[in-house]
Amino acid sequence: MPPTTETELKELRDLVISLREEMRLGFAATKTEIQRVEAKTDIKFAELSGKIDVMDERTKLGFWGFIGRAVIIGIFILVIGFAIKYFFFGTVKL
């Protein structure tokens, strides 16, 4: 094996140092990109959480709301039934 000279060792050292610096810059860029994506994700999750809260408030019915809707739907079905009976038979008998 031929002997290595000082210049070859210096070139190899410079190459390793430059490679290390490029890797450091690449990792810094990757870290910045990851932080940017995390920030966007946090914003989207916050928006989604707000929308879910709004939907929860809209769909929260409660006991009396349920009873009220059941009464309204029951009356509506009863009126439709009387209308159909009147349409086919001409009279409404209770």
Side-chain angles (χ1 to χ4, degrees):
M1 186 178 343
T4 57
T5 62
E6 286 294 320
T7 57
E8 290 174 338
L9 290 175
K10 184 176 181 334
E11 288 175 6
L12 186 58
R13 180 179 173 271
D14 292 342
L15 180 65
V16 169
I17 290 172
S18 66
L19 179 62
R20 184 177 69 184
E21 188 63 30
E22 285 183 34
M23 287 177 60
R24 185 178 301 149
L25 291 174
F27 283 133
T30 303
K31 184 178 179 181
T32 303
E33 184 69 19
I34 289 172
Q35 288 172 346
R36 187 179 65 79
V37 169
E38 284 178 345
K40 279 186 171 181
T41 304
D42 290 342
I43 291 170
K44 292 295 182 183
F45 277 136
E47 289 174 1
L48 185 61
S49 177
K51 288 180 181 178
I52 289 173
D53 291 341
V54 168
M55 290 294 291
D56 188 38
E57 280 299 316
R58 286 184 184 172
T59 57
K60 190 180 282 188
L61 192 57
F63 177 73
W64 291 111
F66 177 75
I67 297 299
R69 287 186 184 181
V71 167
I72 290 171
I73 291 172
I75 291 171
F76 181 72
I77 290 173
L78 190 64
V79 168
I80 295 294
F82 283 142
I84 290 172
K85 191 172 183 181
Y86 180 75
F87 179 75
F88 285 115
F89 302 111
T91 60
V92 177
K93 294 182 183 176
L94 296 176

